[in-house]
Amino acid sequence: MFESIKRILATLIVVLPALLQTAAAQQTGAGANWIRPENIKSPPVWGIHGGIVVSLWPASLEANIPNSEGGPRGLLRVGYELNGVVYLVNYIAVEPVVDGDMEFSEVRPSVVDGKLGKLFWAAADTTGSFSPFANTRGVITHPDKLHPDVEELSFYVLMEKFADGANPYLKITIRSDKPGELGLQLFNHKNSAVMERCALTATMGNYSRLRLLYLKDKVIDSRQLFSGYDDIEFAEKEPYPVGEMLKTRSGDPIVMAESNESFNELASWPQSQPYLARWHWRYRPFYKLMQYWRVDAAGYDSSLVVRVNGRAKYWTGGSADKSNYVDIPGGPAFENFELRENYRIGQQFYFGLSLKPAKELIAGL
């Protein structure tokens, strides 16, 4: 199997430019709410117009970055479509824990080629091997009998087995009545080691300079939480238990994070060579988005917590040379943003993006 995957990766050198161009063209197509691959050989990009979009390596979400692979492997690329344009907003990584050891899907090497990042691929069911193409258009169903006009797009994301024996996979869903929300349901293959936890973490909060974390009775400001921190590593604090989370009208625990800056501040970029050389960290969407995690009211237990860590400087691949780093404009921000809960087969998380600010949504709770 590994030899066949190696041949596929070698073929990518030839097909990658065309694959990326096709991905950009599909995302801006008009006439339908769904963003779906045209066929199983199309780029792996799914989403909904006026809402959330998700892709897998090597498909980039942004058409304005020629020949880009869209970022690291071992991640879901999550973006937002508005007025015919898709922008990358965050990545979601998979981090299983076995016997107290946590693996990281985006920084652990693949057993196929030794490069960083586990291989992810889409499928119509829970079988199959890696392909750089879509493999499935996704299935559209009508999940709500009371609202038969509501559609749901779903497909599976499979991945390499982790070194600690964990072998999870995901079922991805997007509903037409919740276009800003990505459903992520966790399962494991029969040959998987027992997982104590399998976190799904939004890994790139610094891009949106997320600094305000909204809980039930307070707002956590990263500048205060990590006050005085100026190193190149991640800054870690204790997680917040489910009892401190907000709840929706239906009782769903929900936690929100957003930038403290105005759009003009967020979109600005220092005009000096160190920053111009790292322009990929510049916020590119022409709008602000609030980000959130949610779980169903009947689908969680007391182990549920929200965990954030922070950075004072933009990530630069783990270099130990401090001269390779630049400060995040405005001070420390949240980088990883996630819900953690003891693992159980079929547990469901939702990651959302909203054009509405957190305070407006909280007022509606």
Side-chain angles (χ1 to χ4, degrees), residues 169-214:
Y169 64 91
L170 300 170
K171 183 178 181 181
I172 304 293
T173 55
I174 304 171
R175 286 174 57 122
S176 60
D177 60 339
K178 297 178 181 178
E181 191 171 89
L182 187 69
L184 300 136
Q185 192 171 16
L186 272 163
F187 299 92
N188 63 270
H189 292 285
K190 290 183 179 179
N191 66 348
S192 176
V194 176
M195 294 185 290
E196 299 156 27
R197 185 179 72 239
C198 190
L200 304 174
T201 178
T203 68
M204 196 175 66
N206 287 172
Y207 176 65
S208 300
R209 304 213 281 265
L210 301 178
R211 292 198 178 94
L212 303 178
L213 181 72
Y214 290 83

Side-chain angles (χ1 to χ4, degrees), residues 63-365:
N64 59 345
I65 305 180
N67 296 325
S68 169
E69 293 182 357
R73 300 191 318 196
L75 298 164
L76 304 178
R77 292 96 183 273
V78 181
Y80 199 85
E81 194 278 347
L82 188 63
N83 298 336
V85 181
V86 179
Y87 283 102
L88 175 71
V89 178
N90 213 326
Y91 298 116
I92 294 178
V94 180
E95 298 178 349
V97 176
V98 175
D99 294 330
D101 174 61
M102 184 163 64
E103 289 247 27
F104 305 88
S105 60
E106 80 277 24
V107 298
R108 289 292 191 264
S110 166
V111 297
V112 177
D113 59 6
K115 294 182 179 180
L116 295 184
K118 296 294 185 181
L119 294 174
F120 284 18
W121 63 95
D125 53 34
T126 61
T127 62
S129 59
F130 172 76
S131 165
F133 304 106
N135 290 331
T136 177
R137 298 192 68 214
V139 176
I140 293 180
T141 57
H142 297 266
D144 191 339
K145 292 181 180 180
L146 297 179
H147 302 90
D149 56 324
V150 172
E151 294 182 335
E152 181 177 83
L153 173 65
S154 66
F155 59 97
Y156 290 92
V157 171
L158 311 182
M159 60 197 73
E160 287 185 71
K161 192 174 184 179
F162 288 80
D164 62 10
N167 200 358
Y169 64 91
L170 300 170
K171 183 178 181 181
I172 304 293
T173 55
I174 304 171
R175 286 174 57 122
S176 60
D177 60 339
K178 297 178 181 178
E181 191 171 89
L182 187 69
L184 300 136
Q185 192 171 16
L186 272 163
F187 299 92
N188 63 270
H189 292 285
K190 290 183 179 179
N191 66 348
S192 176
V194 176
M195 294 185 290
E196 299 156 27
R197 185 179 72 239
C198 190
L200 304 174
T201 178
T203 68
M204 196 175 66
N206 287 172
Y207 176 65
S208 300
R209 304 213 281 265
L210 301 178
R211 292 198 178 94
L212 303 178
L213 181 72
Y214 290 83
L215 301 176
K216 182 173 61 176
D217 298 318
K218 56 187 173 183
V219 179
I220 307 299
D221 189 319
S222 63
R223 296 165 298 175
Q224 298 172 5
L225 188 64
F226 306 122
S227 177
Y229 184 77
D230 192 40
D231 208 340
I232 62 174
E233 305 296 338
F234 291 94
E236 191 80 38
K237 297 290 184 178
E238 291 298 314
Y240 303 95
V242 62
E244 295 187 26
M245 296 181 200
L246 292 158
K247 288 190 176 180
T248 67
R249 290 183 178 181
S250 57
D252 301 351
I254 186 171
V255 60
M256 308 178 192
E258 66 182 2
S259 175
N260 64 305
E261 301 176 65
S262 68
F263 172 75
N264 287 340
E265 291 170 327
L266 183 59
S268 65
W269 194 241
Q271 296 297 291
S272 63
Q273 184 55 39
Y275 285 90
L276 295 177
R278 296 165 177 80
W279 72 274
H280 57 281
W281 279 110
R282 181 182 63 84
Y283 187 77
R284 294 181 293 278
F286 52 91
Y287 44 82
K288 281 183 63 175
L289 288 165
M290 184 273 293
Q291 304 182 30
Y292 68 87
W293 284 101
R294 178 179 72 82
V295 294
D296 292 321
Y300 72 95
D301 62 39
S302 60
S303 68
L304 183 68
V305 299
V306 56
R307 175 250 184 177
V308 288
N309 64 18
R311 292 190 65 86
K313 302 177 189 297
Y314 286 117
W315 171 256
T316 181
S319 169
D321 185 351
K322 293 187 178 183
S323 67
N324 289 332
Y325 294 79
V326 294
D327 293 337
I328 299 168
F334 298 121
E335 181 72 312
N336 287 76
F337 171 41
E338 68 197 55
L339 294 180
R340 286 183 172 182
E341 186 181 25
N342 293 339
Y343 176 71
R344 65 182 180 281
I345 296 175
Q347 65 187 143
Q348 177 84 59
F349 299 94
Y350 302 91
F351 178 75
L353 301 172
S354 176
L355 291 167
K356 294 181 178 181
K359 288 183 178 179
E360 183 176 338
L361 290 179
I362 291 171
L365 298 182

